[in-house]
């Protein structure tokens, strides 16, 4: 007898509804849920791999401790007690403690509601996280313009007639800071009503291939394109449409002169797009039909990430598309996170690298290895890594690995012995993915409809297993007990969720939400900016001084070129997820995906043929990798996917190790970062590429 369970897939931001068919504890099938209010039956190949994660024979089931003779299993109480004793002894010795939080934590509402307890018990100051390798420029810009780090405007694709995607690849990523499951069909529907998709990307991506137009752009130069589009949009005057004009502050008057200072040909030259592209895109975006411009990783993880996100907001504003049906709008989800968490902050932090920006109390991860290896009393000696793999995800992985060896105590919450957790003293593994519940916590505020969905655990917890949140809460209690302090009253995640749901405008209880297993649909997005602005004076801050100044700094870069070097960018694939799905046989099957994509002209110049080995070198490292010669990448640019490099000794994911690949981040350079936000620069790394001569290789 099989039973069918409704769930939300927890792997990526699309939050698809799935139907999991079970026979006892065996997964019979995982299918898209056609009745799900947001995903309408869509899933991608990663959803079926949830079964592989659940049943992964390499997954840790009990806490382990690193000893001279290898990893030793412990029971939970012993693990918690030993860790608590060490944490407190280090605290008493005045040792600095820190956290690194990885991406999967953002997909676990329960852990998100509890990990603060653990961080306070450990006394960790500030946090490193995957966010400063990712989306911090968005938070910075949203805070500056709208008054809250999480107040995001997303393209209303279901009613749009034109979407311009700059540096995003939703056909592979399934959308980011834009929860848009079933992207492919939503694009088809837009095209069927006469709408168009335009993609600006150095690579002819999976998204570019379903688009109506693709414009290659030189990595790291989009600011020129965006400033040019804005200049053209404002050429006939900067009058804002009714409804927006009254929301925008006086600084708007400074925008037009700032962008008029640029020469359009110089801008076009800088980003290497054909000269007429800029005015054409500007005209289309301001034609009056509902349209949106959206930018993601390609324009975030670069030197002018915040500047780019600001210009994107300004283009949507200037063309009248902000807060308009079919343009970009601010979701009003079932759980109103924006209304219930603080506005965030923009500060600075002192590090071994000097003063760096600190957005949302983050310490930029570009400084992670430095803070672990500094030689004063501020060196980090206690480190907790929660669902993260910074050895593969942060710039200069080899240096990160060396730095992790300096720690007095490292604890990883992870279900695998990974490139990172193999350096830990203790690894605390969570239960399987089907044993936990799920809520669309951070993604309702980014979704293309006003929505939310809760799913209960599909399976009962295996004997002796714990969810991430329980590990965090119980370890926090053990530390407090070790200090002789009373344990505070912890709300369970479900209690917190219920309270937050009831306090939201929709006002539903968790029980009511749970009664709708296909998700709760509150309808399409609606204009609402007037009531949402959270700046002190409740206006939209069009031209914050820091961003205007940054535009000036960019102007000084206009004629700089890295002579001779190739520009290295990353890429994502629909069957990978950052570093951690390579242990699923069904996801890694087929030809090797960790290749160096290179344009035929660049390959010919170096005597490289398809499949031959090349050595790729940057300022920080060198890797050897097979070349994939393809017209799908523009000349002068090469690409390696990130999240590979599983050849490191002692990892537990055997299938991943058999498909090791190389780590892109052994080449990326932590010296490169966004000056406004501290976010890492992960694309546009200058590299040289040379053929690996067989004779040399054999020596
Ligand atoms: N060059 C380059 N580097 C990049 C990027 C890029 O585009 N280019 N992208 C960046 C981005 S956007 C991100 S978000 C980061 C990601 O960076 P990280 O979050 O540091 O890395 P992940 O690969 O997501 O690793 C997640 C880890 O969590 C574990 N894990 C998975 N699920 C769970 C769970 O439920 N509980 C626990 N406790 N552990 C779990 C996995 O085994 C894995 O070890 O990488 C960044 N790095
Ligand atoms: N299948 C899959 N899905 C994922 C993930 C995954 O690893 N695999 N990761 C998840 C995570 S953590 C995130 S943050 C999202 C990311 O979601 P996206 O941002 O949509 O995904 P990326 O593939 O990083 O897309 C960035 C695009 O920018 C391009 N690019 C690089 N440099 C430049 C540049 O200078 N200018 C321009 N215009 N383009 C540039 C790249 O070629 C690439 O196509 O995806 C999420 N979803
Ligand atoms: S698109 Fe994302 S949420 Fe949807 S099935 Fe794939 S991994 Fe899961
Ligand atoms: Mo990410």
């Amino acid at each position: 007898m099989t039973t069918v369970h409704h769930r939300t897939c927890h792997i990526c931001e699309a939050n698809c509804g799935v139907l999991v068919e079970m026979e006892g504890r065996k997964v019979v099938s995982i299918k898209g849920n056609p009745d799900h209010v947001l995903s309408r039956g869509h899933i991608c190949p990663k959803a079926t791999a949830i079964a592989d994660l659940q049943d992964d024979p390499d997954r840790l089931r009990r806490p382990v401790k690193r000893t001279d003779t290898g990893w030793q299993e412990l029971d939970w109480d012993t693990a918690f007690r030993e860790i608590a004793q060490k944490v407190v002894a280090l605290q008493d010795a005045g040792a600095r403690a820190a956290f690194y939080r990885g991406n999967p934590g953002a997909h676990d509402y329960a852990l998100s509601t509890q990990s603060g307890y653990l961080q306070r018990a450990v006394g960790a100051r500030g946090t490193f996280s995957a966010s400063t390798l990712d989306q911090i420029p968005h938070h910075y810009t949203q805070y500056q313009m709208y008054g809250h780090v999480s107040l995001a405007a997303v393209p209303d694709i279901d009613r749009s007639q034109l979407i311009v995607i700059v540096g995003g690849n939703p056909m592979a990523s399934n959308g980011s800071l834009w929860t848009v499951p079933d992207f492919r069909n939503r694009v088809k529907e837009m095209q069927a009503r006469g709408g168009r998709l335009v993609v600006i990307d150095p690579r002819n991506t999976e998204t570019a291939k379903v688009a109506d137009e693709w414009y290659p752009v030189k990595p790291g130069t989009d600011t020129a394109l965006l400033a040019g589009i804005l200049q053209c949009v404002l050429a006939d005057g900067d009058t804002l449409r009714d409804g927006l004009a009254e929301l925008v502050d006086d600084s708007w008057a400074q925008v037009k002169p700032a962008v008029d200072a640029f020469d359009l040909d110089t801008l076009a030259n800088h980003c290497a797009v054909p000269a007429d592209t800029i005015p054409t895109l500007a005209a289309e975006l301001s034609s009056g039909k509902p349209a949106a411009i959206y930018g993601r990783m390609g324009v975030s993880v670069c030197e002018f990430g915040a500047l780019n996100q600001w210009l994107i907001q300004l283009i949507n504003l200037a063309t009248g598309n902000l807060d308009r049906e079919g343009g970009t709008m601010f979701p009003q989800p079932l759980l109103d996170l924006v209304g219930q968490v603080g506005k965030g902050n923009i500060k600075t932090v002192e590090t071994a690298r000097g003063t760096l920006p600190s957005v949302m109390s983050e310490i930029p991860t570009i400084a992670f290895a430095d803070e672990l290896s500094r030689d004063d009393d501020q060196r980090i000696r206690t480190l907790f890594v929660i669902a993260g793999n910074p050895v593969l995800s942060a710039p200069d992985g080899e240096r990160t690995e060396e730095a992790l060896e300096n720690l007095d105590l490292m604890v990883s919450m992870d279900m695998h012995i990974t490139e990172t957790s193999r350096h830990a003293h203790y690894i605390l593994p969570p239960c399987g993915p089907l044993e936990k519940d799920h809520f669309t916590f951070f993604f309702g505020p980014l979704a293309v409809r006003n929505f939310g969905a809760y799913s209960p655990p599909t399976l009962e917890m295996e004997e002796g297993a714990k969810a991430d949140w329980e590990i965090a809460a119980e370890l926090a209690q053990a530390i407090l007990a070790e200090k002789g302090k009373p344990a505070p009253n912890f709300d369970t995640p479900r209690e917190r969720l219920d309270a937050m749901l009831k306090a939201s405008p929709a006002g539903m209880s968790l029980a009511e939400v749970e009664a709708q297993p296909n998700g709760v649909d509150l309808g399409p997005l609606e204009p609402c900016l007037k009531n949402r602005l959270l700046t002190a004076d409740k206006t939209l801050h069009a031209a914050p001084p820091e961003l205007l100044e940054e535009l000036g700094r960019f102007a000084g870069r206009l004629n700089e070129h890295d002579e001779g070097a190739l520009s290295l960018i990353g890429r994502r694939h629909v069957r990978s997820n950052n570093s951690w799905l390579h242990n699923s046989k069904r996801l890694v099957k087929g030809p090797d995906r960790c290749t160096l994509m290179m344009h035929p002209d660049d390959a010919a110049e170096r005597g490289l043929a398809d499949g031959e080995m090349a050595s790729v070198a940057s300022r920080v490292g060198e890797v050897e990798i097979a070349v994939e010669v393809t017209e799908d990448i523009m000349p002068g640019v090469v690409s390696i996917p990130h999240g590979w490099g599983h050849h490191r000794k002692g990892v537990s994911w055997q299938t991943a190790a058999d498909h090791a690949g190389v780590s892109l981040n052994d080449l990326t350079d932590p010296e490169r970062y966004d000056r406004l936000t501290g976010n890492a620069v992960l694309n546009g790394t200058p590299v040289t590429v040379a053929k690996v001569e067989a004779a040399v290789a054999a020596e």
Side-chain angles (χ1 to χ4, degrees):
M1 244 270 291
T2 64
T3 48
V4 175
H5 305 254
H6 292 69
R7 278 195 78 79
T8 303
C9 173
H10 69 294
I11 292 176
C12 90
E13 298 175 50
N15 281 248
C16 299
V18 293
L19 297 174
V20 186
E21 189 186 357
M22 301 293 304
E23 191 174 349
R25 292 190 74 84
K26 188 171 158 281
V27 179
V28 179
S29 70
I30 298 184
K31 297 193 175 120
N33 174 0
D35 301 320
H36 190 268
V37 296
L38 198 67
S39 61
R40 321 181 300 191
H42 170 82
I43 49 166
C44 83
K46 291 186 293 302
T48 45
I50 294 175
D52 302 344
L53 286 172
Q54 178 66 36
D55 298 331
D56 190 340
D58 298 334
R59 176 158 73 76
L60 298 174
R61 298 311 211 255
R62 289 285 178 278
V64 292
K65 171 186 180 169
R66 184 152 55 97
T67 71
D68 292 341
T69 52
W71 293 97
Q72 180 197 325
E73 264 194 19
L74 302 174
D75 63 71
W76 287 103
D77 287 342
T78 310
F80 290 154
R81 196 175 55 248
E82 286 190 17
I83 295 168
Q85 283 166 353
K86 289 180 182 163
V87 165
V88 175
L90 280 157
Q91 266 180 8
D92 290 347
R96 177 177 169 196
F99 269 51
Y100 173 90
R101 290 167 194 265
N103 171 278
H107 295 273
D108 185 330
Y109 90 93
L111 177 62
S112 306
T113 63
Q114 306 290 311
S115 54
Y117 293 132
L118 178 60
Q119 187 155 352
R120 281 191 292 280
V122 173
R125 279 179 287 125
T127 310
F128 299 91
S129 84
S131 293
T132 53
L133 307 171
D134 184 347
Q135 83 281 8
I136 285 289
H138 296 250
H139 296 305
Y140 176 95
T141 309
Q142 288 159 189
Y143 181 86
Q144 289 277 23
M145 299 181 77
Y146 309 124
H148 193 294
V149 287
S150 299
L151 198 47
V154 300
D156 181 23
I157 186 168
D158 293 343
R159 290 176 292 179
S160 195
Q161 290 297 101
L162 169 68
I163 293 189
V164 179
I165 297 183
V166 199
N169 185 12
M171 285 298 290
S173 69
N174 288 296
S176 183
L177 301 187
W178 186 24
T179 290
V180 56
D182 204 17
F183 173 78
R184 176 71 187 103
N185 283 315
R186 291 186 139 100
V187 169
K188 277 189 186 161
E189 286 161 14
M190 179 171 74
Q191 289 165 330
R193 55 178 189 262
R196 290 185 330 115
L197 178 69
V198 175
V199 169
I200 295 162
D201 201 297
R203 183 164 76 85
N204 187 9
T205 61
E206 296 77 358
T207 308
K209 286 182 178 159
V210 303
D212 300 276
E213 279 158 46
W214 165 55
Y215 297 104
V217 63
K218 218 172 110 191
T221 64
D222 300 82
T223 316
L225 178 84
L226 297 167
I229 293 177
L230 189 57
Q231 183 190 95
C232 295
V233 167
L234 297 175
D236 296 330
D238 65 358
T239 310
L240 289 168
R241 74 160 166 85
D242 286 351
L244 285 177
E246 52 278 22
L247 299 181
V248 175
D249 75 349
D250 293 344
S251 69
W252 172 245
Q254 297 172 48
V255 171
K256 183 168 160 52
V259 290
D260 279 346
F262 292 98
D263 168 57
L264 204 55
D265 288 336
T266 311
L267 292 176
N269 229 342
H270 184 72
C271 56
V273 300
D276 60 351
T277 310
I278 294 177
T280 305
L281 286 173
E284 289 186 64
L285 282 163
S286 39
S287 72
K289 64 187 176 198
I293 182 166
Y294 154 88
R296 198 41 199 110
M297 284 293 279
V299 285
S300 297
V301 292
C302 58
E303 191 186 341
F304 294 101
L307 189 60
N308 290 340
Q309 293 304 335
W310 175 57
L311 290 168
I312 286 169
Q313 302 305 310
L314 287 180
I315 294 170
N316 285 323
L317 173 66
T319 54
N321 285 305
L322 182 72
D323 199 35
R324 170 196 181 187
E325 276 185 22
T328 58
M329 284 193 282
F330 298 83
Q332 303 175 86
L334 186 64
L335 191 155
D336 175 28
L337 202 63
V338 169
Q340 299 196 36
V341 299
K343 295 178 180 186
N345 52 60
I346 298 174
K347 294 182 184 153
T348 56
V349 59
E350 296 309 317
T351 71
R353 297 210 8 206
T355 308
L356 290 174
S358 173
V359 181
M360 302 161 72
S361 306
E362 296 267 338
I363 310 173
T365 296
I366 48 143
F368 186 52
D370 300 273
E371 294 299 280
L372 291 169
S373 33
R374 58 195 288 173
D375 53 13
D376 58 14
D377 63 358
Q378 287 306 302
R379 174 169 69 86
I380 293 166
R381 293 172 58 191
T382 305
L383 178 71
F384 278 71
V385 178
I386 317 276
N389 194 1
V391 167
L392 296 192
S393 52
D396 202 351
E398 298 215 352
R399 172 125 195 276
T400 305
E401 291 228 78
E402 278 166 34
L404 290 173
E405 285 300 314
N406 293 334
L407 287 159
D408 293 23
L409 174 64
M410 174 173 165
V411 179
S412 274
M413 277 169 62
D414 206 298
M415 62 274 198
H416 277 288
I417 305 170
T418 69
E419 296 70 24
T420 299
S421 66
R422 73 194 181 108
H423 298 277
H425 299 100
Y426 294 87
I427 306 177
L428 306 175
C431 60
L434 293 178
E435 296 164 41
K436 40 187 195 180
D437 65 346
H438 186 277
F439 183 74
T440 53
F441 200 65
F442 289 114
F443 303 100
L446 298 165
V448 293
R449 292 181 72 85
N450 293 324
F451 120 105
Y454 176 82
S455 23
T458 304
L459 275 178
E460 246 176 62
M461 198 89 86
E462 239 170 56
E463 172 84 23
K466 288 184 193 295
D468 279 303
W469 76 267
E470 294 174 296
I471 300 172
E474 290 178 29
L475 183 53
Q477 277 163 333
I479 294 169
L480 292 173
E482 182 64 27
K483 291 184 200 167
K485 290 195 181 154
N489 285 329
F490 291 102
D491 294 342
T492 64
R494 279 182 59 97
E495 286 165 350
R496 283 286 290 280
L497 183 58
D498 184 50
M500 291 180 89
L501 283 165
K502 286 176 181 156
S504 299
M508 285 174 79
S509 69
L510 178 53
E512 287 169 320
V513 175
E514 204 171 343
Q516 296 195 39
N518 299 321
V520 178
D521 184 26
L522 301 173
L525 304 183
E526 284 171 19
C528 61
L529 182 57
K530 190 168 182 293
N531 307 319
R532 301 292 296 284
L533 285 168
L534 286 162
T535 50
D537 59 4
K538 298 284 186 285
T539 64
L540 187 162
H541 292 189
E546 296 83 352
L547 285 156
L548 272 179
E549 201 178 300
E550 188 74 347
L551 192 61
R553 203 171 73 81
F554 166 73
R557 288 301 176 78
L558 268 174
N559 295 309
E560 273 180 19
H561 298 285
D562 259 313
E563 292 306 332
L566 289 165
S567 179
L568 174 67
I569 62 171
R571 67 178 186 271
R572 287 179 154 79
H573 188 280
V574 76
R575 280 191 284 123
S576 285
N577 195 53
N578 296 332
S579 74
W580 65 276
L581 282 185
H582 298 146
N583 212 45
S584 158
K585 289 200 173 64
R586 70 181 111 188
L587 290 183
V588 290
K589 71 172 188 243
D592 188 2
R593 299 205 297 272
C594 188
T595 56
L596 179 79
M597 285 187 173
M598 192 178 223
H599 188 271
D601 295 350
D602 292 321
E605 207 175 290
R606 289 161 184 81
L608 276 161
D610 191 66
E612 284 184 336
M613 292 300 286
S615 133
V616 186
S618 73
R619 188 189 75 83
V620 303
E622 187 171 346
V623 301
E624 285 188 8
I625 182 171
V627 174
E628 180 182 343
V629 178
T630 169
E631 300 263 0
D632 281 343
I633 193 145
M634 69 189 281
V637 180
V638 288
S639 165
I640 298 178
H642 85 280
W644 299 86
H646 306 295
H647 53 277
R648 282 134 159 116
K649 275 204 197 81
V651 294
S652 69
W653 34 33
Q654 290 312 315
T655 301
D658 292 343
H659 298 78
V662 298
S663 176
L664 169 62
N665 285 320
D666 286 345
L667 297 170
T668 49
D669 186 344
E671 293 294 325
R672 301 175 70 230
Y673 66 98
D674 177 359
R675 290 293 182 283
L676 282 184
T677 68
N679 204 81
V681 175
L682 299 170
N683 288 319
T685 306
V687 291
T688 55
V689 176
K691 184 168 171 165
V692 177
E693 297 296 342
V696 176
E699 255 172 34

